[in-house]
């Protein structure tokens, strides 16, 4: 729906500044990365704890955005003559008011879901279960915040017949804003847990705050087994509809019986007994499905209809996953469903990804559409055209029917089989491929074909945790202190391209690599952030000029060679001077400083970007005197340099532990390394950091081995009891250290500790799962939240760095973000 920008004053408070008239908008932007269409887009500049939207206004103007909702701009802000501006006291409140204005146009059932857990999974499942009887508009992914809710509501359109939206809060006083934005007619509260407890006086205040979402609801759905929730709603029976396995309720779960992977639910409603079979047996999934069944019974779905829909219900991946694929490709795996709103969010994710390779979309028919198919597919074609994709593949009868709307490098197939049979998938090369499809199209088969190395052991990298840790360290610094982030050694095993592009978006000031080939790889994949190279090669200076890399200089021979090279090509070269203040690794000694300065003064083509030193023991309080001595010596050396060289340069001494323990020495910049990856050597801020990496595998086989038999090479694993032995496809060839052999190492199977039995092999490790409920195919955690890297490092008397960097590149990396 299109609105005049001049109507914004009627939607929210503020003042209207215009240099252009007759502008109309249908798109709201709060993230500069998500801009795909600029003609009818409004950018709302929101100031967060870490980022200020005002920083992106001129960048977006250059891209063509001409409508803005801004806080009071700083002095000297330039209003462009052909753009329109609305200035408001609070841009988040303005966003909510605009969404509320849009919401008021729709007289439809709108279900708001809140609670501590399971909001997203219930929303996704319920939207599948009530389609196609209803055309559902829902929150993309887990958009449930003060910003996410209004952006979700904005997705309502003329074909919507049912809305399902999440609402999450972290402190008292937030829910009223979301209620005014959503104006739900129906409500569901899932449960109450410990999430965000710090934002409330007690659990009762938290429940009261969440229930404010339902102030004007006709019906509130809940589970009566959650006694605190039931207690709060006990006097509202005329507008509640509940289920229970313990107490009298509208819908009674009289029993559940599990047989293999099938759980049978015995349900009573309005005097009738319903028997439903589901493909889940864990308690959380059963509870989530019961919420869905309760709502479906309320809306009059038949027993046969509910069962047929439950038969097709599958586990949902709640995150975008970036996987390495064949022929230097990457995959964004988003194959659990495909509706129009989800398609647009996924397309934005593809558009904003910084990997400088060709971008391709494989898309199925849009599911759950009950409106004008011709208009829908024309709109999809326009969205794809605006994103300037390298290749588009449409699969499904509707895609095939409306292929004439699409332009450019496009291919269409009536079904998945036609695509995989008729196309040589090996033709995909150096592409970032978004695979987005409804469950019925089984796009997971395409993913399986394209995935790189079908290794069942994977290293999962949480990009949200990377951002959290980066922002946390940033919060410890003065506003003027810059951050250099270490992405050397394959970003500590995490994958330097993906980490670098995330850091670039979040405005890291510098990146640091060990060797020039790492820097070249980053440049070739779209990284423009300054890059310092720790160990430059004297034989390859041309690379530094070609790719704009900045070498560290640590001895006179390399300084002289670099100076001669600069003179030979008559180009300026930025360099970093490393000083050895006691680490006695690389770096100039204090006695060499004058000679270094003379060489630089003689060659004006050499420009000092930074001068730094490395602390040898910043994480050890018992050696603080040594760290202080190093810093004092560094200051003396800098005074020598500044007395000779007038040009300004930056100084830095602190690494991750130093940031935590020596805040008074932040200087101009700090170097963030292991802390970014959730490991805090100083043990001061550990509880504030998030785990980034999870190494996991699966059980390939389980066998019964009798007492006194042995397991593995050299008969080292002698059993003291009859045992269940599970084989896991990870070994020292994958980076799982052989020192974990013979009971020293442990893995987690279904939350239980299983010890390593016998010697770790090159490609496999055997673990004892006796007494653990386990089966072949079950997930095994090597390290992650439940079994930290620091624990594994301690078992073999090493450091977390070694554990992280040892994970072999043959182990598939999966990058994800919610």
């Amino acid at each position: 729906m299109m609105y005049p920008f001049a109507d914004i004053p009627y939607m929210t408070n503020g003042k209207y500044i215009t240099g252009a008239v007759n502008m109309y908008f249908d798109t709201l932007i709060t993230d500069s990365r998500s801009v795909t269409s600029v003609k009818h887009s409004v950018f709302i500049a929101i100031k967060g704890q870490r980022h200020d939207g005002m920083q992106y206004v001129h960048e977006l103007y250059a891209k063509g955005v001409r409508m803005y909702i801004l806080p009071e701009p700083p002095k000297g802000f330039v209003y462009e003559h052909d753009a329109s501006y609305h200035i408001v006291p609070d841009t988040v409140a303005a966003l909510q008011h605009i969404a509320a204005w849009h919401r008021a146009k729709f007289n439809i059932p709108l279900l708001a879901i809140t609670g501590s857990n399971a909001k997203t999974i219930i929303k996704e499942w319920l939207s599948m279960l009530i389609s196609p009887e209803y055309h559902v508009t829902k929150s993309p992914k887990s958009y449930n915040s003060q910003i996410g809710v209004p952006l979700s509501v904005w997705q309502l359109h003329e074909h919507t017949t049912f809305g399902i939206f999440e609402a999450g809060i972290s402190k008292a006083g937030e829910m009223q804003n979301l209620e005014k934005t959503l104006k739900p007619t129906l409500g569901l509260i899932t449960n109450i847990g410990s999430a965000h407890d710090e934002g409330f006086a007690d659990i009762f205040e938290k429940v009261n705050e969440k229930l404010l979402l339902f102030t004007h609801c006709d019906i509130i759905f809940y589970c009566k087994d959650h006694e605190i929730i039931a207690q709060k709603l006990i006097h509202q029976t005329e507008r509640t509809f509940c289920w229970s396995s313990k107490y009298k309720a509208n819908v009674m779960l009289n029993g559940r019986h599990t047989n293999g992977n099938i759980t049978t639910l015995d349900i009573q409603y309005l005097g009738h007994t319903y028997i439903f079979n589901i493909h889940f047996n864990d308690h959380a999934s059963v509870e989530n499905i019961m919420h869905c069944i309760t709502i479906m019974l309320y809306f009059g779905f038949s027993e046969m209809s509910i069962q047929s829909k439950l038969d097709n219900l599958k586990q949902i991946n709640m995150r975008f996953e970036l996987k390495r694929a064949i022929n230097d490709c990457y995959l964004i795996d988003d194959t659990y469903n495909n509706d129009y709103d989800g398609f647009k969010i996924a397309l934005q994710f593809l558009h904003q990804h910084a990997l400088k390779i060709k971008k391709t979309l494989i898309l199925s028919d849009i599911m759950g559409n009950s409106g004008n198919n011709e208009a829908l597919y024309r709109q999809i074609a326009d969205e794809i055209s605006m994103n300037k994709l390298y290749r588009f593949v449409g699969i499904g009868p509707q895609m095939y029917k409306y292929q004439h709307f699409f332009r450019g490098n496009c291919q269409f197939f009536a079904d998945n089989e036609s695509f995989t049979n008729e196309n040589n998938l090996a033709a995909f090369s150096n592409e970032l491929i978004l695979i987005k499809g409804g469950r019925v199209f089984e796009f997971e088969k395409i993913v399986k074909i394209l995935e790189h190395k079908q290794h069942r052991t994977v290293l999962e990298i949480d990009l949200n945790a990377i951002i959290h840790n980066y922002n946390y360290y940033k919060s410890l610094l003065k506003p003027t202190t810059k951050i250099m982030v270490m992405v050397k050694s394959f970003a500590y095993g995490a994958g330097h391209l993906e980490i670098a592009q995330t850091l670039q978006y979040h405005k890291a000031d510098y990146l640091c690599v060990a060797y020039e080939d790492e820097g070249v790889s980053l440049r070739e994949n779209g990284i423009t952030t300054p890059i310092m190279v720790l160990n430059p090669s004297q034989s390859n200076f041309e690379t530094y000029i070609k790719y704009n890399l900045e070498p560290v200089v640590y001895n006179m021979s390399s300084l002289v060679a670099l100076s001669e090279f600069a003179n030979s090509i008559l180009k300026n070269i930025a360099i970093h001077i490393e000083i050895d203040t006691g680490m006695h690794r690389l770096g100039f000694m204090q006695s060499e400083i004058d000679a270094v300065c003379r060489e630089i003064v003689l060659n004006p083509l050499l420009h000092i970007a930074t001068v730094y030193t490395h602390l040898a023991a910043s994480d050890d309080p018992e050696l603080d005197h040594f760290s202080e001595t190093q810093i004092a010596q560094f200051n003396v050396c800098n005074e020598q340099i500044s007395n000779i060289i007038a040009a300004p340069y930056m100084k830095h001494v602190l690494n991750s532990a130093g940031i935590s323990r020596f805040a008074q020495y932040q200087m101009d910049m700090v170097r963030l390394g292991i802390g970014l990856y959730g490991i805090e050597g100083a043990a001061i801020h550990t509880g504030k950091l998030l785990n980034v990496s999870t190494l996991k595998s699966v059980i390939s086989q389980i066998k019964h081995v009798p007492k006194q038999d042995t397991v593995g090479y050299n008969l080292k694993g002698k059993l003291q009891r009859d045992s269940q032995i599970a084989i896991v496809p990870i070994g020292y060839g994958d980076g799982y250290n052989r020192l974990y052999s013979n009971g020293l190492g442990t893995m987690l199977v279904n939350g239980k500790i299983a010890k390593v039995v016998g010697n770790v092999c090159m490609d496999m490790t055997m673990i004892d799962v006796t007494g653990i409920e386990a089966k072949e195919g079950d997930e095994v955690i090597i390290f992650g939240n439940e079994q930290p890297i620091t624990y594994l490092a301690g078992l073999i008397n090493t450091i977390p760095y070694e554990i992280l960097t040892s994970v072999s590149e043959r182990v598939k990396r999966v990058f994800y973000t919610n």
Side-chain angles (χ1 to χ4, degrees):
M1 297 175 70
M2 201 78 72
Y3 294 105
F5 188 70
D7 282 357
I8 293 288
Y10 301 107
M11 303 178 189
T12 183
N13 296 322
K15 59 183 179 181
Y16 186 46
I17 299 172
T18 181
V21 294
N22 298 327
M23 289 187 173
Y24 290 82
F25 70 96
D26 62 5
T27 303
L28 302 178
I29 302 168
T30 60
D31 184 338
S32 63
R33 297 173 300 172
S34 66
V35 179
T36 55
S37 172
V38 297
K39 185 176 180 181
H40 299 298
S41 295
V42 173
F43 177 63
I44 304 173
I46 293 173
K47 184 175 177 61
Q49 290 184 324
R50 311 285 182 238
H51 301 286
D52 185 352
M54 287 297 294
Q55 296 176 350
Y56 302 93
V57 170
H58 295 302
E59 172 188 323
L60 289 169
Y61 178 83
K63 291 181 178 180
V65 176
R66 292 296 181 265
M67 291 174 279
Y68 300 91
I69 298 174
L70 309 177
E72 191 66 44
K75 288 184 179 179
F77 179 81
V78 177
Y79 293 100
E80 303 291 348
H81 68 89
D82 59 341
S84 290
Y85 305 86
H86 188 70
I87 311 302
V88 296
D90 184 337
T91 50
V92 173
L95 171 64
Q96 293 169 347
H97 293 155
I98 294 168
W101 178 281
H102 182 65
R103 163 69 181 99
K105 307 293 183 185
F106 298 88
N107 183 23
I108 59 172
L110 192 148
L111 174 69
I113 304 176
T114 193
S116 298
N117 305 103
K119 296 184 291 294
T120 303
I121 189 70
I122 292 173
K123 174 202 68 186
E124 296 293 342
W125 273 349
L126 186 60
S127 69
M128 293 180 190
L129 290 168
I130 67 174
S131 299
E133 287 83 352
Y134 292 95
H135 183 76
V136 178
T137 294
K138 56 186 173 63
S139 311
K141 293 292 181 177
S142 53
Y143 277 35
N144 59 35
S145 66
Q146 299 291 303
I147 296 172
V149 167
L151 290 177
S152 299
V153 170
W154 191 254
Q155 306 300 318
L156 290 168
H157 53 83
E158 61 270 22
H159 299 306
T160 304
T161 59
F162 203 111
I164 307 178
F165 298 100
E166 302 176 45
I169 55 173
S170 58
K171 60 185 179 181
E174 291 185 333
M175 191 60 90
Q176 285 179 312
N177 296 330
L178 300 186
E179 193 279 334
K180 292 175 183 176
T181 302
L182 283 167
K183 278 292 182 282
T185 62
L186 307 165
L188 166 64
I189 182 166
T190 61
N191 50 45
I192 293 294
S194 59
H196 303 297
D197 273 356
E198 66 278 6
F200 304 92
D202 53 38
I203 194 168
F204 299 102
E205 182 185 45
K206 183 192 291 189
V207 174
N208 288 335
E209 179 75 15
K210 289 182 179 294
L211 291 178
L212 289 176
L213 181 62
F214 309 141
T215 302
H216 298 99
C217 282
D218 299 323
I219 294 294
I220 304 169
F221 301 98
Y222 71 100
C223 175
K224 204 171 184 177
D225 295 350
H226 295 295
E227 295 181 3
I228 296 177
I229 295 173
Q231 179 183 338
K232 291 294 181 181
L233 293 172
I234 194 170
H235 299 301
Q236 300 195 43
T237 54
E238 72 283 355
R239 66 185 194 107
T240 57
F241 194 87
C242 60
W243 68 273
S244 176
S245 61
K246 301 177 182 178
Y247 311 109
K248 185 178 179 180
N250 302 93
V251 177
M252 294 296 303
L253 176 59
N254 291 328
R256 51 179 283 197
H257 311 283
T258 300
N259 183 10
N261 291 326
I262 303 295
T263 298
T264 300
L265 305 178
D266 182 343
I267 292 173
Q268 190 167 23
Y269 172 57
L270 294 179
H272 179 74
T273 298
Y274 295 80
I275 302 297
F276 295 122
N277 294 315
I278 60 175
H279 298 279
F280 303 89
N281 52 36
D282 61 289
H283 176 77
S285 293
V286 171
E287 181 172 301
N288 296 338
I289 289 174
M290 276 302 302
H291 284 308
C292 295
I293 291 174
T294 298
I295 293 172
M296 295 179 77
L297 290 171
Y298 175 83
F299 277 96
F301 283 81
S302 70
E303 181 175 8
M304 183 180 298
S305 174
I306 293 174
Q307 183 60 66
S308 67
K309 291 170 181 290
L310 291 173
D311 288 341
N312 294 317
L313 201 62
K314 297 182 181 180
Q315 192 58 267
I316 290 174
N317 190 352
M318 306 313 299
R319 60 204 190 188
F320 286 120
E321 293 189 344
L322 181 67
K323 303 176 179 180
R324 294 195 166 196
I326 61 173
N327 302 332
D328 297 318
C329 289
Y330 285 80
L331 301 178
I332 299 173
D333 183 359
D334 191 19
T335 56
Y336 73 89
N337 79 343
N338 191 27
D339 53 46
Y340 181 69
D341 298 330
F343 152 71
K344 291 209 301 183
I345 294 297
L347 196 59
Q348 287 177 2
F349 185 77
L350 175 65
H351 172 77
Q352 72 193 33
H353 208 285
L355 285 178
K356 196 175 181 180
I357 56 180
K358 299 170 289 189
K359 294 181 179 177
T360 292
L361 171 63
I362 301 175
L363 182 70
S364 78
D365 286 352
I366 299 296
M367 309 303 294
N369 180 56
S370 58
N372 185 334
N373 273 340
E374 182 173 336
L376 173 66
Y377 284 89
R378 189 188 299 274
Q379 198 169 357
I380 292 169
D382 289 342
E383 291 275 356
I384 290 170
S385 177
M386 287 185 292
N387 276 270
K388 298 180 174 61
L389 298 177
Y390 167 72
R391 186 203 308 256
F392 172 68
V393 178
I395 299 176
Q398 296 299 310
M399 282 287 180
Y400 196 80
K401 177 180 179 180
Y402 294 109
Q403 61 181 281
H404 55 280
F405 291 146
F406 295 80
R407 300 175 296 280
N409 184 12
C410 301
Q411 297 169 294
F412 296 89
F413 301 88
D415 51 48
N416 192 14
E417 288 71 23
S418 300
F419 170 64
T420 53
N421 289 338
E422 295 180 18
N423 264 286
N424 180 8
L425 295 181
F428 289 94
S429 177
N430 194 36
E431 296 171 52
L432 177 59
I433 307 168
L434 168 61
I435 302 180
K436 177 77 174 163
R439 282 290 191 184
V440 296
F441 290 92
E442 299 182 323
F443 274 16
E444 59 269 22
K445 294 179 180 178
I446 300 175
V447 172
K448 187 175 181 181
I449 294 170
L450 290 174
E451 272 190 288
H452 180 63
K453 302 175 184 176
Q454 298 299 308
H455 198 319
R456 302 181 78 189
T457 298
V458 300
L459 181 66
E460 292 188 345
I461 312 298
D462 185 347
L463 296 178
N464 287 335
I466 287 284
I467 295 165
H468 169 89
N469 296 341
Y470 173 78
N471 284 330
Y472 179 73
Y473 276 102
K474 190 174 180 180
S475 73
L476 303 178
L477 304 175
K478 296 177 293 186
T480 55
T481 304
K482 297 182 182 297
I483 302 180
M484 175 184 287
V485 186
M486 316 304 284
V487 292
K488 61 179 182 175
S489 191
F490 203 53
Y492 292 62
H496 65 302
L497 295 181
E498 298 80 7
I499 302 301
Q501 75 91 15
T502 300
L503 293 168
Q504 177 165 279
Y505 173 74
H506 287 274
K507 305 295 185 183
D509 300 288
Y510 258 92
L511 300 176
C512 180
V513 298
Y515 301 101
E516 58 260 28
D517 59 342
E518 295 175 311
V520 169
S521 176
L522 294 181
R523 288 285 186 250
E524 289 180 339
N525 283 280
I527 300 302
T528 58
T529 302
I531 297 175
M532 182 176 87
V533 182
L534 290 170
N535 298 288
S537 167
Q538 293 188 32
S539 62
N540 204 17
F541 286 146
E542 293 87 353
T543 301
Y544 290 84
I545 298 299
K546 180 178 179 180
Y547 292 97
N548 192 24
L549 305 176
E550 301 176 12
V552 167
V553 181
Y554 49 81
N555 61 25
M556 286 304 300
S557 63
S558 62
L559 177 59
V560 170
L562 191 61
S563 179
E564 291 174 351
F565 175 73
N567 285 329
S568 70
I569 63 171
L570 296 178
K571 287 186 178 292
N572 292 305
I573 298 177
I575 62 174
H576 299 260
I577 302 296
E578 182 174 4
I579 298 175
D580 183 356
T581 57
M583 181 78 167
H584 296 329
R585 199 169 56 179
L586 297 177
F588 292 102
M589 303 298 288
Q590 184 176 349
S591 59
E592 299 176 281
I593 296 299
D594 286 345
V596 170
C597 292
R598 284 194 298 270
E599 184 65 37
I600 293 173
V601 168
L602 289 172
N603 191 343
L605 293 173
L606 296 182
H607 163 66
I608 300 179
T610 76
V611 176
Y612 74 98
T613 194
H614 193 77
L615 301 181
S618 59
D619 58 347
D620 190 343
E622 294 185 2
L623 297 176
D624 279 357
H625 66 284
F626 188 82
S627 296
E628 295 280 0
T629 300
Q630 281 192 272
I631 294 168
Q633 186 177 345
F634 178 74
N635 288 332
V636 170
C637 292
N638 268 297
E639 188 173 350
Q640 284 181 255
I641 296 171
S642 59
N643 285 338
I644 301 172
I645 296 175
Y649 58 86
M650 292 187 290
K651 301 179 287 294
H652 49 107
V653 300
L654 299 184
N655 54 11
S656 295
I659 296 170
S660 300
R661 303 194 60 250
F662 296 98
Q664 68 273 33
Y665 299 122
Q666 290 178 19
M667 299 185 185
D668 302 302
M669 187 159 64
V670 297
R671 300 187 303 275
L672 178 57
I674 195 71
L676 180 74
Y677 305 94
I679 298 167
E680 217 272 303
I684 295 174
H685 303 291
T686 304
K688 302 294 180 63
L689 301 179
L690 298 181
N691 174 62
V692 168
S693 302
T694 301
L695 182 61
K696 58 174 60 174
S697 192
V698 297
I699 294 175
S700 297
Q701 185 181 11
I702 296 178
K703 55 181 61 179
H704 178 79
V705 183
K707 181 180 179 180
Q708 299 302 320
D709 272 17
T710 60
V711 175
Y713 284 119
N714 304 115
L715 312 183
K716 292 294 186 181
K718 188 170 184 179
L719 299 178
Q720 303 301 313
R721 61 179 179 180
D722 292 347
S723 301
Q724 296 293 111
I725 302 300
I727 294 85
V728 182
I730 184 173
Y732 56 79
D734 304 294
Y736 191 64
N737 202 302
R738 199 167 180 272
L739 292 175
Y740 290 122
S741 300
N742 301 310
L744 185 58
T746 61
M747 300 182 189
L748 291 181
V749 179
N750 295 323
K752 304 292 185 181
I753 295 175
K755 287 191 173 185
V756 173
V757 181
N759 285 329
V760 173
C761 308
M762 180 181 291
D763 309 301
M764 287 171 280
T765 299
M766 289 69 73
I767 56 176
D768 187 346
V769 293
T770 307
I772 298 175
E773 189 174 320
K775 61 183 182 298
E776 293 175 3
D778 277 359
E779 185 176 82
V780 178
I781 302 296
I782 293 88
F783 63 68
N785 285 321
E786 303 90 345
Q787 181 157 280
I789 295 172
T790 48
Y791 168 75
L792 286 188
L795 290 178
I796 57 173
N797 195 30
T798 188
I799 56 177
Y801 295 77
E802 183 178 0
I803 304 296
L804 280 173
T805 58
S806 294
V807 179
S808 167
E809 289 197 40
R810 82 174 184 179
V811 172
K812 181 173 63 181
R813 268 70 173 172
V814 174
F815 303 88
Y816 66 89
T817 181
N818 293 327

